PDB file of all heavy atoms in Angstrom:
ATOM      1  N   CYS Y  53      17.595  24.473  30.919  1.00  0.00           N
ATOM      2  CA  CYS Y  53      17.440  24.757  29.479  1.00  0.00           C
ATOM      3  C   CYS Y  53      16.935  26.221  29.285  1.00  0.00           C
ATOM      4  O   CYS Y  53      16.041  26.660  29.959  1.00  0.00           O
ATOM      5  CB  CYS Y  53      16.454  23.782  28.883  1.00  0.00           C
ATOM      6  SG  CYS Y  53      16.323  24.052  27.094  1.00  0.00           S
ATOM      7  N   CYS Y  57       9.580  26.288  26.597  1.00  0.00           N
ATOM      8  CA  CYS Y  57       8.447  25.344  26.325  1.00  0.00           C
ATOM      9  C   CYS Y  57       7.567  25.209  27.543  1.00  0.00           C
ATOM     10  O   CYS Y  57       8.046  24.761  28.637  1.00  0.00           O
ATOM     11  CB  CYS Y  57       9.082  23.963  25.879  1.00  0.00           C
ATOM     12  SG  CYS Y  57      10.425  24.136  24.737  1.00  0.00           S
ATOM     13  N   TYR Y  59       5.379  23.321  28.616  1.00  0.00           N
ATOM     14  CA  TYR Y  59       5.097  21.984  29.219  1.00  0.00           C
ATOM     15  C   TYR Y  59       6.285  21.502  30.034  1.00  0.00           C
ATOM     16  O   TYR Y  59       6.182  20.521  30.774  1.00  0.00           O
ATOM     17  CB  TYR Y  59       4.706  21.000  28.139  1.00  0.00           C
ATOM     18  CG  TYR Y  59       5.702  20.958  27.008  1.00  0.00           C
ATOM     19  CD1 TYR Y  59       6.969  20.315  27.086  1.00  0.00           C
ATOM     20  CD2 TYR Y  59       5.417  21.639  25.799  1.00  0.00           C
ATOM     21  CE1 TYR Y  59       7.846  20.343  26.002  1.00  0.00           C
ATOM     22  CE2 TYR Y  59       6.309  21.678  24.715  1.00  0.00           C
ATOM     23  CZ  TYR Y  59       7.500  21.040  24.888  1.00  0.00           C
ATOM     24  OH  TYR Y  59       8.457  21.088  23.808  1.00  0.00           O
ATOM     25  N   CYS Y  60       7.461  22.132  29.882  1.00  0.00           N
ATOM     26  CA  CYS Y  60       8.710  21.375  30.197  1.00  0.00           C
ATOM     27  C   CYS Y  60       9.279  21.727  31.578  1.00  0.00           C
ATOM     28  O   CYS Y  60       9.609  22.840  31.867  1.00  0.00           O
ATOM     29  CB  CYS Y  60       9.717  21.609  29.137  1.00  0.00           C
ATOM     30  SG  CYS Y  60      11.241  20.575  29.426  1.00  0.00           S
ATOM     31  N   PRO Y  61       9.459  20.733  32.427  1.00  0.00           N
ATOM     32  CA  PRO Y  61      10.035  20.965  33.773  1.00  0.00           C
ATOM     33  C   PRO Y  61      11.509  21.307  33.720  1.00  0.00           C
ATOM     34  O   PRO Y  61      12.037  21.754  34.743  1.00  0.00           O
ATOM     35  CB  PRO Y  61       9.827  19.577  34.447  1.00  0.00           C
ATOM     36  CG  PRO Y  61       9.684  18.542  33.349  1.00  0.00           C
ATOM     37  CD  PRO Y  61       9.076  19.291  32.197  1.00  0.00           C
ATOM     38  N   GLN Y  62      12.166  21.191  32.540  1.00  0.00           N
ATOM     39  CA  GLN Y  62      13.580  21.421  32.495  1.00  0.00           C
ATOM     40  C   GLN Y  62      13.963  22.807  32.029  1.00  0.00           C
ATOM     41  O   GLN Y  62      15.187  23.182  31.960  1.00  0.00           O
ATOM     42  CB  GLN Y  62      14.231  20.387  31.591  1.00  0.00           C
ATOM     43  CG  GLN Y  62      13.961  18.994  32.002  1.00  0.00           C
ATOM     44  CD  GLN Y  62      14.950  18.027  31.338  1.00  0.00           C
ATOM     45  OE1 GLN Y  62      16.114  18.019  31.660  1.00  0.00           O
ATOM     46  NE2 GLN Y  62      14.500  17.285  30.402  1.00  0.00           N
ATOM     47  N   GLY Y  99      18.555  11.810  26.338  1.00  0.00           N
ATOM     48  CA  GLY Y  99      17.907  13.145  26.150  1.00  0.00           C
ATOM     49  C   GLY Y  99      18.724  14.233  26.870  1.00  0.00           C
ATOM     50  O   GLY Y  99      19.268  13.956  27.946  1.00  0.00           O
ATOM     51  N   ALA Y 100      18.841  15.343  26.252  1.00  0.00           N
ATOM     52  CA  ALA Y 100      19.623  16.456  26.883  1.00  0.00           C
ATOM     53  C   ALA Y 100      18.766  17.748  26.830  1.00  0.00           C
ATOM     54  O   ALA Y 100      18.169  18.102  25.794  1.00  0.00           O
ATOM     55  CB  ALA Y 100      20.945  16.669  26.140  1.00  0.00           C
ATOM     56  N   ALA Y 101      18.800  18.464  27.901  1.00  0.00           N
ATOM     57  CA  ALA Y 101      18.024  19.776  27.975  1.00  0.00           C
ATOM     58  C   ALA Y 101      18.788  20.876  27.361  1.00  0.00           C
ATOM     59  O   ALA Y 101      19.243  21.833  28.035  1.00  0.00           O
ATOM     60  CB  ALA Y 101      17.659  20.069  29.435  1.00  0.00           C
ATOM     61  N   TYR Y 102      18.991  20.724  26.060  1.00  0.00           N
ATOM     62  CA  TYR Y 102      19.696  21.749  25.265  1.00  0.00           C
ATOM     63  C   TYR Y 102      18.704  22.507  24.333  1.00  0.00           C
ATOM     64  O   TYR Y 102      17.798  21.823  23.755  1.00  0.00           O
ATOM     65  CB  TYR Y 102      20.792  21.149  24.373  1.00  0.00           C
ATOM     66  CG  TYR Y 102      21.918  20.502  25.053  1.00  0.00           C
ATOM     67  CD1 TYR Y 102      22.384  19.278  24.531  1.00  0.00           C
ATOM     68  CD2 TYR Y 102      22.550  21.034  26.151  1.00  0.00           C
ATOM     69  CE1 TYR Y 102      23.512  18.681  25.075  1.00  0.00           C
ATOM     70  CE2 TYR Y 102      23.642  20.362  26.751  1.00  0.00           C
ATOM     71  CZ  TYR Y 102      24.116  19.173  26.230  1.00  0.00           C
ATOM     72  OH  TYR Y 102      25.211  18.539  26.727  1.00  0.00           O
ATOM     73  N   ARG Y 103      19.003  23.740  24.020  1.00  0.00           N
ATOM     74  CA  ARG Y 103      18.370  24.399  22.873  1.00  0.00           C
ATOM     75  C   ARG Y 103      19.035  23.805  21.588  1.00  0.00           C
ATOM     76  O   ARG Y 103      18.388  23.419  20.656  1.00  0.00           O
ATOM     77  CB  ARG Y 103      18.585  25.906  22.867  1.00  0.00           C
ATOM     78  CG  ARG Y 103      18.173  26.652  21.640  1.00  0.00           C
ATOM     79  CD  ARG Y 103      18.430  28.170  21.838  1.00  0.00           C
ATOM     80  NE  ARG Y 103      18.374  28.867  20.607  1.00  0.00           N
ATOM     81  CZ  ARG Y 103      17.239  29.260  19.987  1.00  0.00           C
ATOM     82  NH1 ARG Y 103      16.060  28.997  20.535  1.00  0.00           N
ATOM     83  NH2 ARG Y 103      17.300  29.922  18.842  1.00  0.00           N
ATOM     84  N   THR Y 130      18.154  12.962  21.653  1.00  0.00           N
ATOM     85  CA  THR Y 130      17.359  14.116  21.538  1.00  0.00           C
ATOM     86  C   THR Y 130      18.064  15.298  22.241  1.00  0.00           C
ATOM     87  O   THR Y 130      18.174  15.316  23.423  1.00  0.00           O
ATOM     88  CB  THR Y 130      15.903  13.904  21.985  1.00  0.00           C
ATOM     89  OG1 THR Y 130      15.112  15.105  21.781  1.00  0.00           O
ATOM     90  CG2 THR Y 130      15.791  13.475  23.476  1.00  0.00           C
ATOM     91  N   LEU Y 131      18.604  16.210  21.401  1.00  0.00           N
ATOM     92  CA  LEU Y 131      19.581  17.204  21.927  1.00  0.00           C
ATOM     93  C   LEU Y 131      19.171  18.570  21.514  1.00  0.00           C
ATOM     94  O   LEU Y 131      19.989  19.494  21.606  1.00  0.00           O
ATOM     95  CB  LEU Y 131      21.004  16.897  21.424  1.00  0.00           C
ATOM     96  CG  LEU Y 131      21.456  15.409  21.382  1.00  0.00           C
ATOM     97  CD1 LEU Y 131      22.745  15.244  20.628  1.00  0.00           C
ATOM     98  CD2 LEU Y 131      21.645  14.910  22.837  1.00  0.00           C
ATOM     99  N   GLY Y 132      17.973  18.761  20.912  1.00  0.00           N
ATOM    100  CA  GLY Y 132      17.546  20.061  20.465  1.00  0.00           C
ATOM    101  C   GLY Y 132      17.947  20.285  18.995  1.00  0.00           C
ATOM    102  O   GLY Y 132      18.052  19.295  18.237  1.00  0.00           O
ATOM    103  N   MET Y 133      18.080  21.529  18.622  1.00  0.00           N
ATOM    104  CA  MET Y 133      18.246  21.831  17.160  1.00  0.00           C
ATOM    105  C   MET Y 133      19.685  21.453  16.730  1.00  0.00           C
ATOM    106  O   MET Y 133      20.646  21.575  17.513  1.00  0.00           O
ATOM    107  CB  MET Y 133      18.096  23.319  16.971  1.00  0.00           C
ATOM    108  CG  MET Y 133      16.673  23.766  17.225  1.00  0.00           C
ATOM    109  SD  MET Y 133      16.386  25.518  16.863  1.00  0.00           S
ATOM    110  CE  MET Y 133      16.946  26.265  18.360  1.00  0.00           C
ATOM    111  N   ASN Y 151      15.522  12.089  17.856  1.00  0.00           N
ATOM    112  CA  ASN Y 151      14.179  12.533  18.256  1.00  0.00           C
ATOM    113  C   ASN Y 151      14.115  14.065  18.296  1.00  0.00           C
ATOM    114  O   ASN Y 151      14.924  14.734  18.900  1.00  0.00           O
ATOM    115  CB  ASN Y 151      13.764  12.007  19.664  1.00  0.00           C
ATOM    116  CG  ASN Y 151      12.605  12.729  20.286  1.00  0.00           C
ATOM    117  OD1 ASN Y 151      12.719  13.509  21.168  1.00  0.00           O
ATOM    118  ND2 ASN Y 151      11.410  12.487  19.661  1.00  0.00           N
ATOM    119  N   HIS Y 152      13.133  14.601  17.603  1.00  0.00           N
ATOM    120  CA  HIS Y 152      12.906  16.068  17.577  1.00  0.00           C
ATOM    121  C   HIS Y 152      11.477  16.249  17.318  1.00  0.00           C
ATOM    122  O   HIS Y 152      11.004  16.082  16.186  1.00  0.00           O
ATOM    123  CB  HIS Y 152      13.798  16.658  16.457  1.00  0.00           C
ATOM    124  CG  HIS Y 152      14.041  18.112  16.605  1.00  0.00           C
ATOM    125  ND1 HIS Y 152      14.758  18.717  17.633  1.00  0.00           N
ATOM    126  CD2 HIS Y 152      13.662  19.167  15.811  1.00  0.00           C
ATOM    127  CE1 HIS Y 152      14.881  20.006  17.469  1.00  0.00           C
ATOM    128  NE2 HIS Y 152      14.187  20.304  16.357  1.00  0.00           N
ATOM    129  N   ASN Y 153      10.699  16.552  18.323  1.00  0.00           N
ATOM    130  CA  ASN Y 153       9.246  16.597  18.196  1.00  0.00           C
ATOM    131  C   ASN Y 153       8.734  17.924  17.662  1.00  0.00           C
ATOM    132  O   ASN Y 153       9.242  18.968  17.947  1.00  0.00           O
ATOM    133  CB  ASN Y 153       8.578  16.361  19.560  1.00  0.00           C
ATOM    134  CG  ASN Y 153       8.707  14.902  20.004  1.00  0.00           C
ATOM    135  OD1 ASN Y 153       8.981  14.040  19.194  1.00  0.00           O
ATOM    136  ND2 ASN Y 153       8.637  14.695  21.327  1.00  0.00           N
ATOM    137  N   ASP Y 155       5.694  18.644  18.475  1.00  0.00           N
ATOM    138  CA  ASP Y 155       4.926  18.872  19.721  1.00  0.00           C
ATOM    139  C   ASP Y 155       3.503  19.324  19.459  1.00  0.00           C
ATOM    140  O   ASP Y 155       2.611  18.846  20.164  1.00  0.00           O
ATOM    141  CB  ASP Y 155       5.673  19.896  20.577  1.00  0.00           C
ATOM    142  CG  ASP Y 155       6.838  19.192  21.341  1.00  0.00           C
ATOM    143  OD1 ASP Y 155       6.711  18.008  21.650  1.00  0.00           O
ATOM    144  OD2 ASP Y 155       7.899  19.821  21.509  1.00  0.00           O
ATOM    145  N   ARG Y 168      11.636  29.816  19.972  1.00  0.00           N
ATOM    146  CA  ARG Y 168      11.988  29.330  18.645  1.00  0.00           C
ATOM    147  C   ARG Y 168      10.715  29.135  17.848  1.00  0.00           C
ATOM    148  O   ARG Y 168       9.616  29.075  18.408  1.00  0.00           O
ATOM    149  CB  ARG Y 168      12.783  27.991  18.727  1.00  0.00           C
ATOM    150  CG  ARG Y 168      12.055  26.966  19.427  1.00  0.00           C
ATOM    151  CD  ARG Y 168      12.686  25.562  19.276  1.00  0.00           C
ATOM    152  NE  ARG Y 168      11.769  24.583  19.834  1.00  0.00           N
ATOM    153  CZ  ARG Y 168      11.894  23.950  21.068  1.00  0.00           C
ATOM    154  NH1 ARG Y 168      12.966  24.248  21.739  1.00  0.00           N
ATOM    155  NH2 ARG Y 168      11.018  23.153  21.453  1.00  0.00           N
ATOM    156  N   ARG Y 173      12.257  23.853  13.770  1.00  0.00           N
ATOM    157  CA  ARG Y 173      12.016  22.399  14.036  1.00  0.00           C
ATOM    158  C   ARG Y 173      12.127  21.701  12.714  1.00  0.00           C
ATOM    159  O   ARG Y 173      12.769  20.650  12.572  1.00  0.00           O
ATOM    160  CB  ARG Y 173      10.653  22.137  14.605  1.00  0.00           C
ATOM    161  CG  ARG Y 173      10.325  22.601  16.026  1.00  0.00           C
ATOM    162  CD  ARG Y 173      11.360  22.301  17.050  1.00  0.00           C
ATOM    163  NE  ARG Y 173      11.176  21.154  17.878  1.00  0.00           N
ATOM    164  CZ  ARG Y 173      12.023  20.834  18.891  1.00  0.00           C
ATOM    165  NH1 ARG Y 173      13.094  21.565  19.119  1.00  0.00           N
ATOM    166  NH2 ARG Y 173      11.802  19.778  19.622  1.00  0.00           N
ATOM    167  N   GLY Y 191       4.437  14.381  19.061  1.00  0.00           N
ATOM    168  CA  GLY Y 191       3.955  15.569  19.773  1.00  0.00           C
ATOM    169  C   GLY Y 191       3.314  15.247  21.062  1.00  0.00           C
ATOM    170  O   GLY Y 191       3.381  14.108  21.621  1.00  0.00           O
ATOM    171  N   ILE Y 192       2.641  16.260  21.621  1.00  0.00           N
ATOM    172  CA  ILE Y 192       1.981  16.160  22.948  1.00  0.00           C
ATOM    173  C   ILE Y 192       0.479  16.377  22.748  1.00  0.00           C
ATOM    174  O   ILE Y 192       0.118  17.349  22.041  1.00  0.00           O
ATOM    175  CB  ILE Y 192       2.589  17.200  23.937  1.00  0.00           C
ATOM    176  CG1 ILE Y 192       4.126  17.026  23.987  1.00  0.00           C
ATOM    177  CG2 ILE Y 192       1.941  17.054  25.270  1.00  0.00           C
ATOM    178  CD1 ILE Y 192       4.780  18.084  24.931  1.00  0.00           C
ATOM    179  N   ASN Y 222       2.800  11.747  23.087  1.00  0.00           N
ATOM    180  CA  ASN Y 222       2.891  11.971  24.557  1.00  0.00           C
ATOM    181  C   ASN Y 222       1.575  12.543  25.048  1.00  0.00           C
ATOM    182  O   ASN Y 222       0.949  13.434  24.357  1.00  0.00           O
ATOM    183  CB  ASN Y 222       3.980  12.972  24.850  1.00  0.00           C
ATOM    184  CG  ASN Y 222       5.383  12.535  24.432  1.00  0.00           C
ATOM    185  OD1 ASN Y 222       5.973  11.817  25.186  1.00  0.00           O
ATOM    186  ND2 ASN Y 222       5.842  12.971  23.263  1.00  0.00           N
ATOM    187  N   GLN Y 223       1.112  12.092  26.198  1.00  0.00           N
ATOM    188  CA  GLN Y 223       0.041  12.808  26.888  1.00  0.00           C
ATOM    189  C   GLN Y 223       0.768  13.757  27.824  1.00  0.00           C
ATOM    190  O   GLN Y 223       1.687  13.342  28.564  1.00  0.00           O
ATOM    191  CB  GLN Y 223      -0.837  11.817  27.669  1.00  0.00           C
ATOM    192  CG  GLN Y 223      -1.909  12.494  28.459  1.00  0.00           C
ATOM    193  CD  GLN Y 223      -2.901  11.537  29.038  1.00  0.00           C
ATOM    194  OE1 GLN Y 223      -3.709  10.959  28.337  1.00  0.00           O
ATOM    195  NE2 GLN Y 223      -2.791  11.338  30.347  1.00  0.00           N
ATOM    196  N   LEU Y 224       0.319  15.013  27.811  1.00  0.00           N
ATOM    197  CA  LEU Y 224       0.965  16.006  28.685  1.00  0.00           C
ATOM    198  C   LEU Y 224       1.062  15.489  30.081  1.00  0.00           C
ATOM    199  O   LEU Y 224       0.105  15.122  30.695  1.00  0.00           O
ATOM    200  CB  LEU Y 224       0.193  17.330  28.610  1.00  0.00           C
ATOM    201  CG  LEU Y 224       0.735  18.438  29.614  1.00  0.00           C
ATOM    202  CD1 LEU Y 224       2.123  18.938  29.144  1.00  0.00           C
ATOM    203  CD2 LEU Y 224      -0.260  19.607  29.690  1.00  0.00           C
ATOM    204  N   VAL Y 225       2.279  15.574  30.643  1.00  0.00           N
ATOM    205  CA  VAL Y 225       2.428  15.310  32.102  1.00  0.00           C
ATOM    206  C   VAL Y 225       2.477  16.729  32.743  1.00  0.00           C
ATOM    207  O   VAL Y 225       3.377  17.499  32.440  1.00  0.00           O
ATOM    208  CB  VAL Y 225       3.831  14.581  32.345  1.00  0.00           C
ATOM    209  CG1 VAL Y 225       3.997  14.358  33.837  1.00  0.00           C
ATOM    210  CG2 VAL Y 225       3.883  13.258  31.603  1.00  0.00           C
ATOM    211  N   ARG Y 226       1.435  17.006  33.530  1.00  0.00           N
ATOM    212  CA  ARG Y 226       1.358  18.334  34.078  1.00  0.00           C
ATOM    213  C   ARG Y 226       2.343  18.455  35.276  1.00  0.00           C
ATOM    214  O   ARG Y 226       2.148  17.741  36.258  1.00  0.00           O
ATOM    215  CB  ARG Y 226      -0.060  18.656  34.573  1.00  0.00           C
ATOM    216  CG  ARG Y 226      -0.972  18.861  33.364  1.00  0.00           C
ATOM    217  CD  ARG Y 226      -2.244  19.659  33.780  1.00  0.00           C
ATOM    218  NE  ARG Y 226      -3.199  19.702  32.696  1.00  0.00           N
ATOM    219  CZ  ARG Y 226      -3.287  20.663  31.783  1.00  0.00           C
ATOM    220  NH1 ARG Y 226      -2.390  21.631  31.803  1.00  0.00           N
ATOM    221  NH2 ARG Y 226      -4.238  20.624  30.859  1.00  0.00           N
ATOM    222  N   VAL Y 227       3.387  19.303  35.106  1.00  0.00           N
ATOM    223  CA  VAL Y 227       4.392  19.410  36.183  1.00  0.00           C
ATOM    224  C   VAL Y 227       4.177  20.766  36.871  1.00  0.00           C
ATOM    225  O   VAL Y 227       4.271  21.793  36.235  1.00  0.00           O
ATOM    226  CB  VAL Y 227       5.821  19.328  35.569  1.00  0.00           C
ATOM    227  CG1 VAL Y 227       6.853  19.473  36.687  1.00  0.00           C
ATOM    228  CG2 VAL Y 227       5.984  17.992  34.821  1.00  0.00           C
ATOM    229  N   ALA Y 263       4.927   9.574  26.852  1.00  0.00           N
ATOM    230  CA  ALA Y 263       4.736  10.073  28.252  1.00  0.00           C
ATOM    231  C   ALA Y 263       3.312   9.979  28.684  1.00  0.00           C
ATOM    232  O   ALA Y 263       2.368   9.967  27.789  1.00  0.00           O
ATOM    233  CB  ALA Y 263       5.196  11.554  28.294  1.00  0.00           C
ATOM    234  N   LEU Y 291      12.251  11.390  31.487  1.00  0.00           N
ATOM    235  CA  LEU Y 291      13.472  12.240  31.672  1.00  0.00           C
ATOM    236  C   LEU Y 291      13.603  12.703  33.110  1.00  0.00           C
ATOM    237  O   LEU Y 291      14.540  12.395  33.815  1.00  0.00           O
ATOM    238  CB  LEU Y 291      13.478  13.398  30.647  1.00  0.00           C
ATOM    239  CG  LEU Y 291      13.563  12.935  29.174  1.00  0.00           C
ATOM    240  CD1 LEU Y 291      13.408  14.143  28.273  1.00  0.00           C
ATOM    241  CD2 LEU Y 291      14.931  12.297  28.916  1.00  0.00           C
TER     242      LEU Y 291
HETATM  243  N1  SAM T 401      15.610  19.754  24.460  1.00  0.00           N
HETATM  244  C1  SAM T 401      15.286  18.887  23.358  1.00  0.00           C
HETATM  245  C2  SAM T 401      14.119  19.311  22.617  1.00  0.00           C
HETATM  246  O1  SAM T 401      13.271  19.999  23.126  1.00  0.00           O
HETATM  247  O2  SAM T 401      13.966  18.936  21.453  1.00  0.00           O
HETATM  248  C3  SAM T 401      15.132  17.445  23.794  1.00  0.00           C
HETATM  249  C4  SAM T 401      14.473  17.109  25.072  1.00  0.00           C
HETATM  250  S1  SAM T 401      12.754  17.545  25.237  1.00  0.00           S
HETATM  251  C5  SAM T 401      12.472  17.248  26.951  1.00  0.00           C
HETATM  252  C6  SAM T 401      12.001  16.194  24.283  1.00  0.00           C
HETATM  253  C7  SAM T 401      10.450  16.188  24.256  1.00  0.00           C
HETATM  254  O3  SAM T 401       9.941  15.788  25.519  1.00  0.00           O
HETATM  255  C8  SAM T 401       9.719  17.439  23.989  1.00  0.00           C
HETATM  256  O4  SAM T 401       9.719  17.746  22.672  1.00  0.00           O
HETATM  257  C9  SAM T 401       8.293  17.036  24.438  1.00  0.00           C
HETATM  258  O5  SAM T 401       7.631  16.452  23.416  1.00  0.00           O
HETATM  259  C10 SAM T 401       8.578  16.053  25.542  1.00  0.00           C
HETATM  260  N2  SAM T 401       8.138  16.550  26.871  1.00  0.00           N
HETATM  261  C11 SAM T 401       8.811  17.387  27.642  1.00  0.00           C
HETATM  262  N3  SAM T 401       8.068  17.678  28.771  1.00  0.00           N
HETATM  263  C12 SAM T 401       6.921  16.998  28.652  1.00  0.00           C
HETATM  264  C13 SAM T 401       5.783  16.857  29.517  1.00  0.00           C
HETATM  265  N4  SAM T 401       5.670  17.497  30.606  1.00  0.00           N
HETATM  266  N5  SAM T 401       4.762  16.099  29.096  1.00  0.00           N
HETATM  267  C14 SAM T 401       4.879  15.353  27.888  1.00  0.00           C
HETATM  268  N6  SAM T 401       5.948  15.474  27.093  1.00  0.00           N
HETATM  269  C15 SAM T 401       6.942  16.246  27.445  1.00  0.00           C
END
Side-chain angles (χ1 to χ4, degrees):
C53 184
C57 314
Y59 48 78
C60 187
Q62 302 198 70
Y102 295 141
R103 172 178 164 82
T130 181
L131 317 169
M133 295 183 277
N151 166 253
H152 198 65
N153 289 339
D155 284 325
R168 58 167 188 257
R173 292 311 262 185
I192 305 179
N222 297 278
Q223 176 170 290
L224 174 67
V225 179
R226 290 201 186 268
V227 179
L291 293 174

